[in-house]
């Protein structure tokens, strides 16, 4: 199966929203005007890239990446990854791995010294990130804002 990874463009918005509803099935649907406005804000954001993986003309997965300029580590930036999801019908076919490799390449080309993400608390998700070369080197902390 040939998989290509590219930056998402506006026409990908509906498929991105469908993937995000697989990731967070309990989320209410975003009104179209809100989604359009958020997409516009994302598009303008420097260092932001939503990657999509395509196979046979279908978008099968995505990973949202942002480069954070940084004053430590000799000024090398950090690449953060969020919202990683592969459509259930395309899982276990290498799509997620290609997305993570593309994220690391983005980080390399932006001069980042690390790629950082938080993993869901699922053993298989940890296996996935380890298979992609990530190590569980830190403990994640999160505080939700109501
Ligand atoms: C986690 C996820 C992104 C993996 O995507 P994927 O395209 O299925 O992963 P890949 O096919 O590229 O898998 C790469 C390697 O990861 C490991 N892996 C992936 N899924 C696995 C599973 N269900 N069980 C065990 N190992 C798994 C394997 O080592 C696999 O290599 P192999 O198939 O050669 O054995 C996908 O399962 C998903 O979208 N899950 C739901 C959303 C989610 O949990 N996202 C992460 C939030 S932090």
């Amino acid at each position: 199966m040939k998989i290509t990874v590219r930056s998402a463009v506006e026409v990908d918005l509906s498929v991105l929203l469908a993937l995000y509803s697989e990731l967070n099935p309990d989320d209410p649907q975003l009104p179209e005007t809100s989604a359009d406005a958020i997409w516009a804000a994302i598009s303008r954001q420097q260092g932001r890239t939503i990657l999509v993986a395509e196979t046979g003309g279908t978008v099968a997965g995505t990973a949202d990446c942002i480069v954070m300029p940084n004053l430590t580590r000799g000024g090398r930036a950090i690449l953060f990854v969020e919202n990683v999801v592969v459509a259930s019908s395309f899982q276990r076919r290498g799509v997620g791995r290609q997305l993570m490799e593309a994220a690391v390449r983005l980080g390399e080309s932006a001069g980042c010294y690390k790629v950082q993400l938080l993993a869901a608390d699922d053993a298989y998700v940890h296996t996935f990130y380890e298979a992609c070369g990530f190590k569980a080197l830190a403990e994640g902390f999160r505080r939700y804002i109501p």
Side-chain angles (χ1 to χ4, degrees):
M1 188 172 86
K2 186 172 183 291
I3 300 160
T4 52
V5 179
R6 59 173 174 79
S7 300
V9 291
E10 194 172 355
V11 291
D12 297 313
L13 182 54
S14 57
V15 72
L16 280 173
L17 294 174
L19 287 165
Y20 294 151
S21 68
E22 284 199 45
L23 180 64
N24 300 309
D26 297 333
D27 277 2
Q29 204 185 330
L30 267 185
E32 200 179 319
T33 48
S34 306
D36 288 344
I38 294 165
W39 173 263
I42 290 171
S43 309
R44 286 192 298 269
Q45 198 171 21
Q46 202 177 354
R48 182 79 175 269
T49 309
I50 298 186
L51 296 170
V52 288
E54 241 179 358
T55 179
T58 301
V59 172
T62 182
D64 192 349
C65 304
I66 185 157
V67 174
M68 186 180 90
N70 175 43
L71 287 168
T72 65
R73 303 290 181 151
R76 293 182 68 192
I78 302 164
L79 186 123
F80 289 93
V81 184
E82 265 286 351
N83 293 334
V84 176
V85 57
V86 173
S88 55
S89 51
F90 285 97
Q91 288 177 7
R92 289 313 291 270
R93 290 153 84 177
V95 173
R97 193 193 292 271
Q98 292 292 321
L99 282 164
M100 299 318 294
E101 282 176 9
V104 171
R105 284 197 299 275
L106 259 186
E108 282 167 354
S109 59
C112 296
Y113 83 96
K114 68 179 174 186
V115 175
Q116 189 146 299
L117 55 85
L118 288 173
D121 199 13
D122 267 307
Y124 91 92
V125 175
H126 299 185
T127 305
F128 164 68
Y129 285 122
E130 279 161 10
C132 296
F134 289 75
K135 292 189 171 60
L137 291 175
E139 197 164 346
F141 286 82
R142 176 182 288 158
R143 177 168 164 180
Y144 285 105
I145 299 169

